[in-house]
Structures are given as C-alpha cells and as structure tokens.
Amino acid sequence: MSLREQFGKDVLLTGWGHSRFGKLTDETLESLIVQIATEAIGNAGIEPGQIDEIYLGQFNSGMMPLAFPSSLALQVSEQLANVPSTRVENACASGSAAFQQGTKSLLAGTAKTVLVIGAEKMTHAGADVVGAALLGADYDMAGKASSTGFTGLFAEVAKHYEKRYGPVSDVLGTIAAKNHRNGVDNPYAQLRKDLGEEFCRTVSDKNPMVADPLRRTDCSPVSDGAAAVVLSVSPTGGATAPVRLAGFGHANDFFPTERRDPTAFTATRASWQRALGMAGVGLDELDFAEVHDCFTIAELLMYEAMGLTEPGQGSRAIEEGWVFKDGKLPVNVSGGLKAKGHPVGATGVSQHVIAAMQLTGTAGAMQLTNPRRGAVQNMGGVGIANYVSVLEAV
C-alpha cells in the first residue's frame, strides 16, 4: 500500500531550488535562503502567497550567532507575512526532518502547499568551532576535546567493521573515487575533480590519514549551501512535471554508544524498511539512491542497511559494480556528500532535489536513463536519526 493509498491524497514535489555548495564567502545564510526559496516557488509556478507553511532545516549548534532563522524565508516576499515558519533540527538529518514535517502537515490537512528549506553556513567558522558543533551530535563526546572530531567516531566504526569482517581500506578508497568521479558532472558540487582510485586509496601528503583508517578522501568537506522544495497535494503547473512521494520512514537509535552495534546501523535499516513498506516496493524496484556518505564507511554500511547485501558483504556492491552509474542500483550519482559537499542542514533537502531532477529528466550531465523511482537516505549522528524517502515519477 503506497502513501497515496494509505492517506487518500498525494504528496508532490512541485518545485525546487538548489545553490552551489562550497565556501560561499559572498553569501549569507539569509541570501542563500532567499535565493533558493525564490527559485523553488518560481519553479513550482505559484505565488509566494500560496504557501501555507514553511519548514527550515538547519543544524547550526553554535556555528552561527543567529540561532533563530525561521523567519528568514519571509524575506522572499511581502506575501509571506504571517505565514507559519518553523526551524527543524535533527543533527545532519535536519533537512529530511524538515521535509517529513512538511509532509505531515499536508497529510494532516493543515496545509495544501508547504515550502521546505535546508540551509547551512559553516566555512566562516574555525575548525575548532565546527568540530565542537558536530560533536554535539554525539552522546559520549559532546562538550569534550577531540583532535579528530566526528571523523574519529566513524573511524571507530570502521575499526569495528574491520575487526569483524576484514580490511576495507581499498573498498573505501573505491567508494571515494566513485563519488568524486560522479561529482564532476554535478554543477552544484563543491569538489568537481576525478581523483582516481589510486589517489583515494593511498595515504600521501595530499591525502593524509585523518583518523585511522579514514583518509582525507574518506571524509566529506565543510560546506555552505542551501536547497528548497515546494510540497503540494496537487500539481501546480510548474516548470517541470511533479514528483510523487511514494513512502517515507524515520527511525531513531539509542544515543549511548554502548547500546548500539557499531556495525549494524539498526535504526537506519528500520527507516529503509518503513519507507519501502509504505511505498509498497522492494529494493529491486529502485532505479537509484542518494545516501548519506558523510564518510565512506557510512556508504559501505548503507549498502548493508538498505538490504543490497548481507551484513559484512557491502564490498560486493562496489567490487561487482552494482552502485556505479551504470550498475543495477546507482548510488550517489550526484557525488554524494563526499564530493557534492555537506552543509549539514541543507543535505537532506538537497538529496530530495537531486532525486526530483533525476525523475523529471532535468539532471543534466548527472542524468540517468529514464529513472522512474529512487530513494533518499539522510542520517544524523552515527546512525542515530535516520530518514528515508521513496520518490517516483508521475
């Protein structure tokens, strides 16, 4: 049973906007939000006054002094005066959390048209500020000093995985090389350079070890950027055909590390099962997936959490070419967080926008051949807050 059958109504992505990701020194959080919100509203073919509600995904956690940005989108137009607007925060999954809140407003019938925005400014802050902010998303390390930051946490995941299943360094290097290669075709991407497998697999002066076994190429960059999407219950006559939300899932895991299997990502798996179950489809009915590769070990674990392989066999998906652009389930054709960039509050919305572009044939050089259904997976913390959406062409 699909979302449409379960709730008796559609949730459609009817317009979207996306900024370039990277070090955007000439942009402010406000300018990014106004830019992409204006683009999304225009793409949807509606007037700002038709927006019933706004949700803004932003993590911040001390990276910016302004911690109350929910009304910034009203700067788009006088027509948005008094429109309800709410900031949504769930670590690096803040964008998808905002997307699901917008979805629930439509399903509840309290809105017919919702504007969802994800935005983050990070590069202006020092490495110590960004590191401390991100560590605030970890139960055990919040408020503590760390020389390796969140990279160290995922390095521990990689070490546990290697202890249980064997070495993965070369596989992680291939994942990094795949996503860098894909990122070349993404005009929004922060890192648009094909680095090659040898470079990504090798520790060097230009690719140092950040936290063993994760090299610099195994880590997503610090980024600025924003993305927005208009959600509606019916087509709005926009610039492209709408995209249907077929199903969604959300699952949280226990916060203390000791209560989680570091290699299982149990709640991530549950979010996938819920989204696929609501959509009434199997993994083999997806044409692509955009997943949360904040670190390459996360993408490897995602192959297993989504059910593409059995636990401990994620390397098969990369070694046998399943997840490459010409494989049976292309993963992160956009370059993923690894190459596209990771402005944390923007990431989940960006993934939905990229998926919508694929499903409407407007992805440019990233475009796959006639995809009909895709999935988006966004994660906060080390497998803590997990969101999955299944989108399909109308």
Side-chain angles (χ1 to χ4, degrees):
M1 179 179 292
S2 68
L3 179 152
R4 187 182 188 184
E5 294 167 329
Q6 184 173 339
F7 293 96
K9 64 175 70 176
D10 265 329
V11 173
L12 301 174
L13 288 70
T14 54
W16 43 83
H18 201 299
S19 79
R20 185 171 61 86
F21 282 5
K23 187 173 184 178
L24 308 180
T25 54
D26 294 332
E27 300 285 357
T28 64
L29 183 68
E30 180 177 337
S31 69
L32 285 168
I33 287 171
V34 170
Q35 171 196 330
I36 55 90
T38 301
E39 186 180 340
I41 292 168
N43 184 255
I46 62 173
E47 294 297 323
Q50 293 175 257
I51 300 293
D52 299 315
E53 196 165 4
I54 300 168
Y55 287 99
L56 170 65
Q58 188 216 22
F59 179 46
N60 192 358
S61 193
M63 289 184 287
M64 285 194 66
L66 180 64
F68 182 45
S70 57
S71 278
L72 290 180
L74 274 59
Q75 302 293 81
V76 169
S77 170
E78 290 291 331
Q79 294 180 42
L80 291 175
N82 304 320
V83 170
S85 186
T86 305
R87 175 190 174 221
V88 180
E89 189 281 312
N90 218 359
C92 296
S94 295
S96 285
F99 182 90
Q100 286 201 11
Q101 288 302 115
T103 294
K104 291 173 182 177
S105 287
L106 297 186
L107 295 178
T110 57
K112 293 183 178 179
T113 306
V114 174
L115 174 64
V116 178
I117 301 167
E120 207 78 63
K121 277 286 288 181
M122 303 172 69
T123 65
H124 64 283
D128 56 337
V129 174
V130 173
L134 296 178
L135 281 176
D138 185 75
Y139 179 88
D140 302 289
M141 289 301 298
K144 297 180 181 178
S146 171
S147 61
T148 56
F150 231 79
T151 309
L153 301 180
F154 274 88
E156 287 301 310
V157 171
K159 288 177 183 176
H160 282 289
Y161 191 94
E162 289 191 319
K163 185 176 181 180
R164 186 174 298 181
Y165 300 118
V168 295
S169 180
D170 282 354
V171 170
L172 299 185
T174 303
I175 291 173
K178 169 183 72 74
N179 291 348
H180 275 287
R181 189 178 308 118
N182 288 345
V184 172
D185 292 330
N186 185 350
Y188 305 114
Q190 181 170 355
L191 304 173
R192 300 184 68 188
K193 187 175 182 180
D194 185 354
L195 298 177
E197 286 192 33
E198 183 177 355
F199 180 85
C200 293
R201 287 180 167 192
T202 306
V203 176
S204 64
D205 290 343
K206 293 185 177 180
N207 189 26
M209 190 72 74
V210 180
D212 190 25
L214 301 183
R215 299 146 296 215
R216 180 178 291 165
T217 49
D218 293 306
C219 311
S220 58
V222 173
S223 316
D224 306 326
V229 63
V230 174
L231 301 179
S232 310
V233 293
S234 59
T236 58
T240 67
V243 170
R244 178 179 290 117
L245 177 65
F248 63 91
H250 173 201
N252 270 51
D253 210 337
F254 294 106
F255 214 1
T257 303
E258 63 186 22
R259 299 199 65 181
R260 289 178 277 119
D261 181 337
T263 69
F265 278 31
T266 305
T268 312
R269 182 180 295 270
S271 65
W272 273 99
Q273 291 171 343
R274 289 170 183 173
L276 292 170
M278 182 184 290
V281 301
L283 197 68
D284 60 349
E285 295 175 83
L286 299 180
D287 296 310
F288 66 92
E290 287 287 323
V291 309
H292 193 98
D293 62 321
C294 50
F295 301 93
T296 51
I297 183 63
E299 180 166 329
L300 180 68
L301 284 167
M302 212 51 58
Y303 302 156
E304 301 174 13
M306 71 169 74
L308 189 58
T309 77
E310 293 297 317
Q313 297 181 25
S315 59
R316 286 190 63 200
I318 195 81
E319 290 169 349
E320 299 183 23
W322 301 348
V323 294
F324 286 85
K325 195 169 182 177
D326 58 354
K328 67 178 184 180
L329 183 63
V331 172
N332 287 336
V333 174
S334 69
L337 287 57
K338 174 78 268 289
K340 182 179 62 177
H342 184 29
V344 290
T347 286
V349 183
S350 166
Q351 292 173 310
H352 285 83
V353 170
I354 295 294
M357 289 177 174
Q358 284 288 352
L359 293 168
T360 54
T362 58
M366 295 183 285
Q367 187 65 52
L368 296 167
T369 303
N370 195 33
R372 304 302 297 167
R373 186 179 292 114
V376 165
Q377 180 271 328
N378 188 201
M379 176 173 68
V382 186
I384 302 298
N386 304 271
Y387 296 81
V388 175
S389 298
V390 177
L391 305 177
E392 60 187 22
V394 174

